[in-house]
Amino acid sequence: MAPAPPRHRTVARVDRILEVVARNHRLTLSQIAHATQAPVSSTKDLLDELTACGYLVCRAKRYEPGPRPFVLGLVGEWASPAGIDHAELARLSEAARAPLLLAVLAGTQVYYLDHAGPRAPKRLQDPVDQHQPRPVLRTAAGRLLLALGAPLASHVLVGLKDSDPAGFASFEQELPAIRRARLARSDGLADPDIRAIAVPVQVGDHVPAAVVVTGRRRGTNDRSLALDAATRRLATAMRARNEGAT
């Protein structure tokens, strides 16, 4: 692979600012600079530009999300980025007879958008409820979407390989099997107590999201028959859904 070109720092900083404000709301300039570990002066310049474009709104010297992302969504007629709504996820959960997570790949991080079925213990449910970023190479959803979704740029793949060489090597080894079976597993990769299996959401000719079945891990050699059975039921329901959409 060719050496990775440097990331454009301004874009990365803008993305970080928007996420910090989205998660916290009503932050001052100094609080945002501290949270993003950036100088106050350059942070102020970026905040001014983001406010001028409508990405942020400043009231009483505190910043909160602005309407610009929603306007872009209306202009582009964006539906859910996952191509599936909560009611349908709930129906799939009933068919699988298991709790399900809905995940998308944004950049090089996995985000859980929704959940249906029984709730997990708090430690496991929080990343879903709070839409916390999860590592792409260590999650079933990330491995599936990396294998079946839109290809990442070569320099992004180089960055993933450099940041997690063991995870990347494991993913490369499993890639043919993931593409052949159209599902991906994570047995304790992201969390030592969790097994997960991801099934693709097919929309036309692309895969924008994954539906994930999760279960507790009982040991390093655990292969829960219940989780595999739930995945088979989910895959059957997903096939019926896709056939009904054609």
Side-chain angles (χ1 to χ4, degrees):
M1 291 185 181
R7 291 185 63 188
H8 199 299
R9 294 186 188 180
T10 301
V11 174
R13 286 187 57 198
V14 165
D15 179 73
R16 179 63 179 145
I17 286 172
L18 292 174
E19 180 166 351
V20 164
V21 174
R23 289 188 180 280
N24 297 279
H25 289 217
R26 307 292 295 154
L27 293 181
T28 65
L29 166 61
S30 60
Q31 288 172 324
I32 294 171
H34 177 74
T36 58
Q37 298 181 330
V40 171
S41 58
S42 58
T43 300
K44 177 65 164 59
D45 291 340
L46 291 176
L47 290 176
D48 286 346
E49 290 296 322
L50 289 168
T51 301
C53 292
Y55 287 95
L56 298 176
V57 174
C58 185
R59 296 188 177 93
K61 297 185 179 182
R62 291 182 177 271
Y63 294 87
E64 58 189 67
R68 180 63 172 164
F70 298 98
V71 173
L72 292 175
L74 292 172
V75 171
E77 298 180 343
W78 296 342
S80 164
I84 187 171
D85 60 19
H86 179 76
E88 189 169 12
L89 187 67
R91 289 193 293 271
L92 290 170
S93 175
E94 291 178 0
R97 302 201 293 274
L100 301 180
L101 309 177
L102 182 63
V104 295
L105 181 61
T108 58
Q109 298 285 354
V110 171
Y111 290 86
Y112 296 112
L113 303 184
D114 201 358
H115 166 270
R119 291 175 63 80
K122 185 178 185 301
R123 178 178 68 84
L124 306 178
Q125 189 71 40
D126 278 352
V128 180
D129 293 343
Q130 298 171 12
H131 311 296
Q132 295 172 0
R134 308 295 289 163
V136 60
L137 293 172
R138 298 282 171 169
T139 56
R143 294 161 83 85
L144 183 76
L145 293 171
L146 201 57
L148 302 182
L152 296 180
S154 60
H155 72 276
V156 176
L157 290 174
V158 170
L160 285 175
K161 183 176 182 179
D162 290 344
S163 63
D164 187 359
F168 194 87
S170 172
F171 169 73
E172 278 197 316
Q173 183 177 4
E174 294 178 18
L175 182 57
I178 293 172
R179 287 176 170 164
R180 183 171 58 251
R182 292 183 65 79
L183 61 81
R185 299 173 182 270
S186 173
D187 290 324
L189 292 176
D191 186 311
D193 294 330
I194 293 298
R195 287 189 69 219
I197 305 176
V199 175
V201 175
Q202 189 80 34
V203 178
D205 60 354
H206 69 288
V207 177
V211 177
V212 185
V213 188
T214 63
R216 296 300 296 268
R217 217 163 160 250
R218 299 175 184 85
T220 56
N221 295 318
D222 174 48
R223 292 293 184 271
S224 171
L225 296 178
L227 194 68
D228 290 337
T231 303
R232 288 193 293 272
R233 292 191 292 268
L234 172 61
T236 299
M238 293 294 288
R239 282 195 296 270
R241 170 190 182 270
N242 295 338
E243 291 168 1
T246 57

